[in-house]
């Protein structure tokens, strides 16, 4: 094993975000509103909350972004599974003034529990967006906020408003203002061209990050929301790159000829953890990005791979076949106290710690099926969320409520597609992306 090539710099400087946020007011949450959506994290179905998103009023020629923003809000909330946006054609009252108090009796008549109103103005090429969230039963305002942004960021404003509504009504942080990087696969099944692609979490704003000339695998976000690390197999040894997704500039983290699994960053961004092969075995190593020191964390004659840090950086979960089959283990960040935590029937792989530290997601293979499941870090509370012909590669939304994964389909025309499922096992759905995609990685919340 030779040392990794020096990195020019550990991280690119974050580009400033053009979206300026000005808070008008966020009203306190009423007890009634908090109780409107009850979430059972142990399983079962969820009764979606009926919510009315009134068409946003427009001024200064802002009709198009106003329509975009209200549509994005409705789509985000509807896809979450916790809300049921009401068809605007059933609205009795038509909101004509943002300042006017809604006629709540009309909204109760169509069974709405919450109401969203808003307006958008184009002021010299800048959008001014305001919205309000109302509790229909109590006629109380739950949230109100104003945004100023470029028209090109209209969709993002919609995601940000949806996040505020989601938090106000559920008590849980939203996840809509995020991005997903994945491997897009195009062409015949035996000659697929794989490229890195990034998109908004709802499948919009898809754009390539690589040209398909090299084989790319397992992209991972660094703690920064605008940088990823990934493996690339060009003409030589596999290399690990760090890429700024806004500029597409990249730099080499290192060349690792015997790497068996792409690295993941530590929560502080100072270290990366990876699995390196040695003959028929593979062990887990940690690379300090400042000192360039490589430290071995496991040392057993087995395949130890797919490491993932806990959110506080104190522990690492990984898979190992040291007991005869692939199972999930947890150890200290220094390699101490290596303990097996999976004991069900079948083989376990690709463990990933949830951002809140409560669960570890995994892939489980048995009985000719691949399942996506979760368990607590001590191995208790194992639950299968979904299973099928081939499910793999779980990645967490930053609020630890939703898992995205890829599902392969059979046949000559088959291929991997991106799917998501709630942590309850409810609301499984395909992510609306054209073509095939695998190896998704969910970003933290955008700044």
């Amino acid at each position: 094993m030779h040392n990794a090539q020096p990195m020019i710099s550990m991280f690119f400087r974050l580009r400033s975000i053009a979206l300026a946020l000005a808070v008008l007011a966020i009203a306190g949450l009423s007890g009634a509103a908090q109780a409107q959506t009850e979430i059972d994290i142990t399983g079962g179905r969820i009764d979606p909350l009926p919510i009315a998103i009134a068409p946003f009023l427009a001024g200064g020629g802002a009709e198009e972004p106003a329509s975009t923003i209200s549509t994005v809000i409705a789509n985000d909330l509807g896809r979450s599974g916790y809300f049921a946006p009401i068809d605007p054609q059933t609205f009795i009252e038509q909101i004509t003034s943002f300042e006017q108090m809604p006629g709540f009796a009309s909204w109760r008549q169509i069974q709405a529990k919450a109401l969203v109103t808003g307006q958008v103005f184009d002021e010299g090429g800048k959008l001014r967006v305001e919205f309000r969230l109302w509790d229909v039963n109590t006629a109380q305002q739950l949230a109100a906020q104003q945004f100023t942004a470029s028209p090109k960021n209209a969709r993002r404003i919609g995601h940000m408003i949806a996040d505020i509504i989601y938090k106000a009504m559920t008590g849980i942080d939203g996840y809509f203002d995020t991005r997903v990087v994945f491997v897009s696969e195009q062409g015949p099944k035996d000659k697929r061209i794989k490229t890195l692609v990034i998109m908004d979490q709802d499948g919009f704003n898809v754009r390539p990050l690589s040209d398909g000339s090299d084989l790319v695998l397992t992209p991972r976000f660094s703690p920064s929301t605008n940088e990823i690390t990934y493996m690339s197999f060009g003409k030589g040894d596999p290399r690990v790159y760090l890429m700024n997704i806004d500029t597409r500039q990249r730099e080499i983290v290192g060349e690792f000829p015997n790497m068996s699994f792409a690295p993941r960053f530590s929560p502080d961004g100072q270290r990366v953890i990876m699995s390196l092969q040695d003959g028929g075995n593979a062990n887990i190593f940690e690379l300090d990005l400042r000192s360039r020191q490589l430290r071995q964390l496991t040392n057993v004659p087995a395949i130890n791979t797919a490491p993932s840090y806990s959110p506080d950086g104190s522990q690492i979960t990984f898979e190992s076949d040291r007991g005869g089959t692939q199972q999930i283990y947890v150890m200290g960040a220094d390699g101490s106290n290596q303990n097996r935590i999976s004991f069900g029937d079948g083989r376990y792989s690709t463990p990933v710690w949830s951002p809140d530290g409560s669960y570890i997601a995994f892939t489980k293979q048995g009985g000719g099926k691949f399942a996506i499941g979760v368990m607590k870090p001590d191995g208790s509370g194992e639950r299968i969320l979904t299973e099928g012909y081939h499910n793999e590669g779980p990645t967490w939304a930053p609020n630890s409520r939703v898992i995205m994964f890829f599902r392969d389909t059979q046949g000559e025309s088959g291929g991997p597609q991106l799917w998501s499922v709630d942590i309850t096992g409810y609301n499984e759905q395909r992510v609306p992306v054209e073509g095939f995609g695998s190896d998704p990685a969910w970003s933290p919340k955008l700044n």
Side-chain angles (χ1 to χ4, degrees):
M1 171 67 195
H2 59 273
N3 291 331
Q5 292 187 12
M7 195 179 346
I8 298 173
S9 64
M10 186 162 28
F11 293 110
F12 292 100
R13 183 173 298 177
L14 290 175
R15 296 181 68 189
S16 60
I17 299 176
L19 217 53
L21 177 65
V23 177
L24 285 182
I26 299 181
L29 221 58
S30 70
Q34 289 177 315
Q36 283 179 343
T37 304
E38 295 185 3
I39 297 171
D40 174 14
I41 66 170
T42 62
R45 293 186 62 83
I46 299 168
D47 290 329
L49 183 80
I51 186 170
I53 294 96
F56 277 33
L57 305 175
E63 285 79 9
E64 183 175 348
S67 175
T68 294
I69 291 169
S70 54
T71 299
V72 168
I73 296 168
N75 289 344
D76 279 349
L77 296 178
R79 283 185 59 82
S80 76
Y82 296 136
F83 299 88
I86 298 173
D87 186 348
Q89 293 186 355
T90 68
F91 293 175
I92 297 172
E93 180 185 28
Q94 303 301 315
I95 301 295
T96 58
S97 171
F98 182 70
E99 303 301 331
Q100 183 177 343
M101 182 74 72
F104 292 106
S106 296
W107 299 101
R108 294 188 196 105
Q109 191 171 338
I110 63 171
Q111 308 303 315
K113 301 298 183 183
L115 169 67
V116 178
T117 61
Q119 63 180 2
V120 182
F121 288 93
D122 190 325
E123 299 175 335
K126 288 287 186 180
L127 295 182
R128 176 169 59 86
V129 183
E130 299 175 83
F131 92 96
R132 290 173 178 166
L133 172 65
W134 303 90
D135 183 329
V136 173
N137 289 334
T138 64
Q140 292 182 347
Q141 179 178 291
L142 302 179
Q145 200 153 328
Q146 177 176 293
F147 305 82
T148 302
S150 165
K152 69 179 182 180
N153 285 319
R155 292 193 61 84
R156 188 177 174 201
I157 295 175
H159 293 315
M160 296 171 76
I161 293 174
D163 278 335
I164 296 169
I165 296 168
Y166 184 98
K167 176 66 178 288
M169 303 305 296
T170 69
I172 302 170
D173 288 337
Y175 60 93
F176 307 118
D177 187 27
T178 57
R179 296 186 285 193
V180 174
V181 64
F182 65 99
V183 177
S184 174
E185 302 187 17
Q186 305 292 334
K189 197 164 188 177
D190 58 345
K191 295 180 180 179
R192 290 269 162 84
I193 297 175
K194 297 187 176 184
T195 57
L196 286 179
V197 170
I198 192 164
M199 66 179 181
D200 296 346
Q201 56 77 29
D202 60 352
F204 283 80
N205 293 329
V206 178
R207 59 188 176 97
L209 298 176
S210 67
D211 60 10
S213 59
D214 293 335
L215 175 63
V216 291
L217 297 171
T218 54
R220 302 283 183 259
F221 272 94
S222 76
S224 163
T225 59
N226 71 336
E227 292 173 326
I228 60 169
T229 181
Y230 65 95
M231 288 180 66
S232 176
F233 290 83
K235 298 179 181 179
D237 292 328
R239 288 181 169 183
V240 177
Y241 285 97
L242 181 68
M243 174 186 285
N244 183 299
I245 58 181
D246 292 327
T247 65
R248 293 182 59 176
Q249 291 182 319
R250 66 178 189 173
E251 54 190 75
I252 297 173
V253 175
E255 292 185 2
F256 305 97
N258 52 352
M259 178 179 292
S260 65
F261 203 86
R264 289 185 185 271
F265 279 86
S266 62
D268 63 6
Q270 304 299 312
R271 297 158 290 155
V272 292
I273 192 171
M274 67 194 79
S275 178
L276 301 177
Q277 292 180 334
D278 182 12
N281 301 320
N283 278 291
I284 294 173
F285 291 77
E286 180 184 75
L287 176 67
D288 188 300
L289 294 174
R290 293 166 298 182
S291 67
R292 316 304 298 166
Q293 293 295 312
L294 196 65
R295 178 171 64 159
Q296 186 168 351
L297 301 181
T298 66
N299 187 15
V300 294
I303 302 297
N304 304 277
T305 189
S308 171
Y309 285 98
S310 63
D312 64 1
S314 66
Q315 293 179 289
I316 294 166
T317 183
F318 62 100
E319 67 178 79
S320 176
D321 65 357
R322 64 184 67 182
T325 61
Q326 288 172 288
Q327 300 293 333
I328 297 176
Y329 289 73
V330 168
M331 65 180 174
D334 59 356
S336 61
N337 301 319
Q338 299 180 19
N339 297 309
R340 176 177 167 180
I341 64 169
S342 61
F343 293 95
D345 295 333
R347 291 178 288 173
Y348 295 75
S349 60
T350 65
V352 185
W353 225 301
S354 66
D356 67 1
S358 298
Y359 292 98
I360 292 172
F362 57 84
T363 302
K364 183 177 181 179
Q365 184 181 3
K369 295 183 178 180
F370 286 78
I372 301 295
V374 295
M375 65 175 65
K376 294 180 180 179
D378 62 2
S380 65
E382 177 181 331
R383 289 185 288 113
I384 298 301
L385 306 181
T386 181
E387 62 181 4
Y389 163 67
H390 186 183
N391 299 318
E392 198 171 354
T395 181
W396 290 91
N399 71 346
S400 301
R401 290 296 313 174
V402 183
I403 291 174
M404 192 177 293
F405 60 97
F406 68 94
R407 170 175 291 158
D408 216 336
T409 55
Q410 303 182 57
E412 288 299 319
S413 60
Q417 297 173 335
L418 303 184
W419 288 73
S420 65
V421 64
D422 189 82
I423 195 175
T424 61
Y426 170 64
N427 198 37
E428 180 178 332
Q429 57 190 316
R430 187 184 169 198
V431 180
V433 180
E434 291 185 7
F436 299 127
S438 61
D439 287 335
W442 216 314
S443 78
K445 282 288 293 291
L446 301 180
N447 296 318

